Amino acid sequence: MASSVKQLCTICNDDGISNSAVTWCTECEVLFCGDCEKPHSKSHLSKNHKTMSADDYQKLPTFIQEISSQCQDHKKKFELYCSFHACPCCVQCVTDKHKMCQEMKPLSDILQSVKSSASVQLFEKDLKIVKENIDTAIKYLQTRITTTDNQKTKAIEKIRYMRKSIDDYLNKLEQDLLNDLESKHLKLRFNMATLVQQIEQRASQINQIQSQFSETTRYTTELQRFIGLREIEKITSQTTKYIEDLESGDHFIEKNLEVNLSSALQSFLQDVNSFGIININTTTSTLKIKAGRKDQAQHLIPKFPGVEQIKPSLLTRLTISKDIKSLVIFACLILPDGKFIILDRDKTQLLLFSNDGIFIRKVVTFTECPYDDCLIMNNTVAVGLGRVNKTVLVDLNRGEIIQSIKLSHHCFGVASDCKTLVISDSNSQCTTVNLNDMSHTILEGMRGVYCISLFQGNIYGTDFSGNEVCCYKATGEPLWTFQHQDIARPKGLTLDKNGFVYIASYGNNSILVVSPDGKICKTLLSDADGIKYPYAIDINRETGLMIVSSHTSGEKNEKSYQTCFVYKV
């Protein structure tokens, strides 16, 4: 985006005067107002300088405006170009930062290619294609958003229709049951009420005879009393028999109302745990974008050297403390501050060394056997504890384990890009751990991967028994596999900032480098360079430092021991 800030004259602004700029000199890199531009255009030294209006300059993208022909660190003009770091340099930069860089070219030779109109046209075409692809992608995604909105609406309708259908059906079943309850209750109640009415009639007769019994016995004649008592006996006998008949029948059996709900409804409440499931199903994208150029012609300058140009130079060797009798180095790291970490499997401990390779202290000792480590942030490393199916996080400053990650497989190789931790078991499984929420994802099919490394989202690994190095996508899908006669029982591996793969070839005492596409291999260091049984290797991608573990010969009559060599690549 072009800047919308008002441009002021650089010369006047330095004097505290805010005059609007009218001209930009591309060679002086200075904005001039009308008054300051006149002497600049007449000066013998600057009258031929190329200028442009301040308005046109303001229309340039901000990143273009911020580019200067002068080194900001040393305030000197850029004269050289470092192909390895893909950046312009002044003469002081070469001394300070690029001593080991072997591909320094005159900047004027590099800039000559920019003048090619063909290059400009190619870039213009690339931008047009990219813009069309972006517009197409946005339109496609907007269509997909509308589609998913419609799918949501239809899903809601489907869910609510099913709910209404269930409600209607349950309401019908409920009403049928209530109707049946009402019918049976009425029938049962009617039968009992009828029986009560009949018994009450008998009771009325008995009550009347009972109330008149004393008068009957007191005021009647002997004949009336005799015949009356016989009649009372008859009525009592009949009533007794009536009650007994009722009792012997089913008239006094207790008939209780109860409801037995459908077992299907009971199981519905127990077995149905959800109303349904929402799935996101994937299909092949219908998006069609234009293909860009597959070659690398659009890169005016190669951003990295070829394999043949990589030539490591030895800087130092770690100094092992005398109280450390032996080391079995399974992993080594270069920390962001330049210090070194060694994983000693013999004594199951992490050791810290200074930038100069001097032993500082023991960081932590493990109760289980460690196999590999990697940096996940400035002061924290992850350590794979092999066959106990566990990886731990170690705080280097505090010298203690701060977290333990339990897995379902062995933890032989670990690698991280500070966002994701990948752990391999050398058989056919790898697990990725999201370092934000510590969620796990198992990647199947990464056969034989022992030591691993991450670069730009891809997973790289060595197959010790297969004598090969492999590259996989973050999903575990294989990209390429490389075998070479010089790769023998490979152990550790690491990548530099350009994607070159460095391998510790344990079986033939050498350090190899493989091109980013997995097609070219070169031996960088060998037995002749003092490399013996290399196991661990690491590179600091910012500084280009490389550390390699190796056996080395001791003094006369002393046994060889393990240490690490530090190189500049």
Side-chain angles (χ1 to χ4, degrees):
M1 295 292 293
S3 173
S4 59
V5 179
K6 181 181 178 182
Q7 302 283 3
L8 299 177
C9 173
T10 305
I11 306 299
C12 293
N13 194 44
D14 290 343
D15 295 333
I17 303 172
S18 300
N19 287 334
S20 297
V22 296
T23 303
W24 166 259
C25 177
T26 60
E27 297 186 41
C28 296
E29 297 182 354
V30 171
L31 286 162
F32 295 105
C33 63
D35 293 337
C36 295
E37 193 274 337
K38 291 178 182 178
H40 174 267
S41 62
K42 294 179 179 180
S43 170
H44 176 72
L45 296 176
S46 59
K47 65 179 181 179
N48 294 323
H49 285 189
K50 183 179 179 180
T51 61
M52 62 190 300
S53 71
D55 290 339
D56 288 341
Y57 173 73
Q58 194 169 8
K59 294 176 184 178
L60 293 175
T62 302
F63 73 89
I64 293 292
Q65 296 181 25
E66 293 175 350
I67 297 174
S68 172
S69 62
Q70 189 178 73
C71 174
Q72 297 302 310
D73 294 332
H74 306 112
K75 308 304 179 184
K76 295 183 179 180
K77 190 172 183 179
F78 289 128
E79 298 180 9
L80 300 168
Y81 186 86
C82 176
S83 298
F84 184 85
H85 292 97
C87 66
C89 311
C90 69
V91 291
Q92 189 65 38
C93 288
V94 177
T95 302
D96 291 353
K97 300 179 181 179
H98 300 271
K99 288 182 179 180
M100 307 305 299
C101 298
Q102 302 172 7
E103 277 297 311
M104 303 295 294
K105 298 180 181 179
L107 184 60
S108 58
D109 294 347
I110 300 300
L111 298 180
Q112 190 67 32
S113 61
V114 181
K115 298 180 181 180
S116 167
S117 59
S119 297
V120 175
Q121 292 173 358
L122 285 175
F123 276 109
E124 186 176 14
K125 182 179 179 181
D126 289 343
L127 286 172
K128 181 180 178 182
I129 291 175
V130 170
K131 178 63 169 58
E132 289 176 354
N133 286 339
I134 289 175
D135 292 342
T136 301
I138 292 173
K139 184 177 180 181
Y140 170 77
L141 290 174
Q142 289 174 338
T143 302
R144 291 300 307 158
I145 290 174
T146 302
T147 300
T148 55
D149 288 345
N150 294 334
Q151 289 170 346
K152 178 187 175 183
T153 301
K154 291 180 179 179
I156 292 173
E157 292 174 353
K158 186 176 180 180
I159 292 170
R160 289 179 175 169
Y161 175 78
M162 176 57 68
R163 174 59 184 267
K164 185 177 183 303
S165 299
I166 293 173
D167 287 346
D168 291 345
Y169 186 63
L170 288 176
N171 288 337
K172 178 182 179 302
L173 294 180
E174 180 188 30
Q175 192 58 52
D176 290 345
L177 186 60
L178 291 174
N179 292 340
D180 189 33
L181 174 63
E182 184 66 21
S183 173
K184 290 180 178 177
H185 174 259
L186 288 175
K187 182 179 179 181
L188 186 59
R189 193 176 189 280
F190 175 78
N191 291 338
M192 288 189 293
T194 301
L195 183 59
V196 168
Q197 187 178 9
Q198 292 173 357
I199 295 175
E200 285 178 343
Q201 291 176 357
R202 300 270 185 168
S204 178
Q205 184 182 16
I206 296 298
N207 289 339
Q208 185 179 1
I209 294 173
Q210 188 179 20
S211 65
Q212 297 174 349
F213 184 78
S214 60
E215 285 80 5
T216 299
T217 57
R218 181 184 303 175
Y219 302 112
T220 58
T221 64
E222 293 292 335
L223 178 62
Q224 287 177 324
R225 185 182 302 156
F226 173 76
I227 295 174
L229 290 175
R230 291 289 300 273
E231 187 63 27
I232 290 173
E233 181 182 19
K234 180 181 177 181
I235 293 172
T236 302
S237 178
Q238 288 176 347
T239 302
T240 300
K241 186 175 185 308
Y242 173 71
I243 296 296
E244 290 175 351
D245 289 343
L246 289 178
E247 185 181 16
S248 63
D250 62 352
H251 294 86
F252 291 150
I253 295 177
E254 294 185 4
K255 298 178 180 180
N256 300 311
L257 278 173
E258 66 177 20
V259 60
N260 292 320
L261 297 177
S262 169
S263 60
L265 287 178
Q266 300 287 351
S267 64
F268 177 84
L269 295 175
Q270 296 175 358
D271 299 339
V272 178
N273 297 318
S274 68
F275 205 86
I277 298 175
I278 305 300
N279 292 320
I280 298 178
N281 299 318
T282 58
T283 57
T284 304
S285 171
T286 57
L287 176 64
K288 302 294 182 183
I289 63 174
K290 295 182 179 180
R293 286 179 288 145
K294 294 183 179 180
D295 56 32
Q296 300 300 312
Q298 68 268 31
H299 297 296
L300 296 176
I301 305 299
K303 292 186 178 181
F304 50 82
V307 168
E308 67 282 352
Q309 294 174 289
I310 299 176
K311 299 176 181 179
S313 57
L314 180 63
L315 297 181
T316 188
R317 186 178 77 183
L318 300 192
T319 303
I320 308 301
S321 176
K322 292 182 179 180
D323 62 339
I324 300 177
K325 302 302 182 182
S326 65
L327 287 175
V328 178
I329 301 173
F330 261 43
C332 53
L333 292 175
I334 304 176
L335 300 178
D337 60 4
K339 295 184 177 69
F340 305 99
I341 285 286
I342 283 181
L343 178 64
D344 177 16
R345 186 169 179 264
D346 182 41
K347 296 181 179 59
T348 66
Q349 59 190 0
L350 282 179
L351 306 178
L352 178 65
F353 291 78
S354 70
N355 305 54
D356 299 327
I358 307 300
F359 174 72
I360 299 177
R361 61 182 171 88
K362 298 176 184 178
V363 177
V364 67
T365 300
F366 306 100
T367 56
E368 298 91 356
C369 185
Y371 279 79
D372 195 12
D373 63 11
C374 69
L375 185 72
I376 62 172
M377 58 184 67
N378 284 345
N379 295 307
T380 306
V381 298
V383 179
L385 300 182
R387 303 184 187 280
V388 297
N389 298 1
K390 185 168 65 175
T391 294
V392 295
L393 306 187
V394 177
D395 187 306
L396 299 179
N397 290 338
R398 291 155 54 185
E400 62 183 30
I401 296 173
I402 57 175
Q403 189 168 357
S404 179
I405 304 171
K406 190 69 177 177
L407 299 181
S408 60
H409 58 73
H410 296 335
C411 304
F412 290 137
V414 292
S416 176
D417 58 5
C418 299
K419 297 178 181 179
T420 301
L421 174 64
V422 181
I423 306 164
S424 66
D425 74 345
S426 80
N427 289 322
S428 61
Q429 280 190 336
C430 278
T431 294
T432 62
V433 179
N434 186 320
L435 293 175
N436 289 324
D437 57 17
M438 304 309 288
S439 58
H440 297 188
T441 302
I442 294 181
L443 307 179
E444 302 285 353
M446 295 179 62
R447 177 185 56 82
V449 175
Y450 189 80
C451 294
I452 56 176
S453 186
L454 300 183
F455 183 74
Q456 294 184 351
N458 293 333
I459 303 172
Y460 296 77
T462 53
D463 183 349
F464 181 74
S465 59
N467 293 327
E468 60 188 19
V469 58
C470 311
C471 178
Y472 300 87
K473 291 183 178 180
T475 57
E477 179 183 349
L479 290 175
W480 52 259
T481 298
F482 182 75
Q483 287 183 316
H484 192 276
Q485 60 184 7
D486 291 341
I487 299 178
R489 300 167 67 192
K491 291 289 188 178
L493 80 163
T494 186
L495 289 91
D496 65 15
K497 69 173 186 177
N498 297 317
F500 287 96
V501 187
Y502 295 73
I503 305 165
S505 187
Y506 184 86
N508 59 2
N509 302 325
S510 62
I511 302 298
L512 309 176
V513 61
V514 176
S515 60
D517 57 3
K519 295 181 178 180
I520 303 174
C521 177
K522 174 188 175 182
T523 298
L524 295 179
L525 300 167
S526 64
D527 199 348
D529 301 293
I531 300 297
K532 297 180 183 297
Y533 308 115
Y535 196 105
I537 186 171
D538 186 42
I539 284 181
N540 184 312
R541 292 171 187 166
E542 295 296 325
T543 63
L545 291 181
M546 177 176 71
I547 183 172
V548 178
S549 70
S550 174
H551 281 266
T552 182
S553 299
E555 300 296 331
K556 187 177 181 181
N557 298 325
E558 291 185 4
K559 295 182 179 179
S560 66
Y561 62 96
Q562 276 194 300
T563 186
C564 285
F565 297 102
V566 180
Y567 298 86
K568 176 72 175 181
V569 293

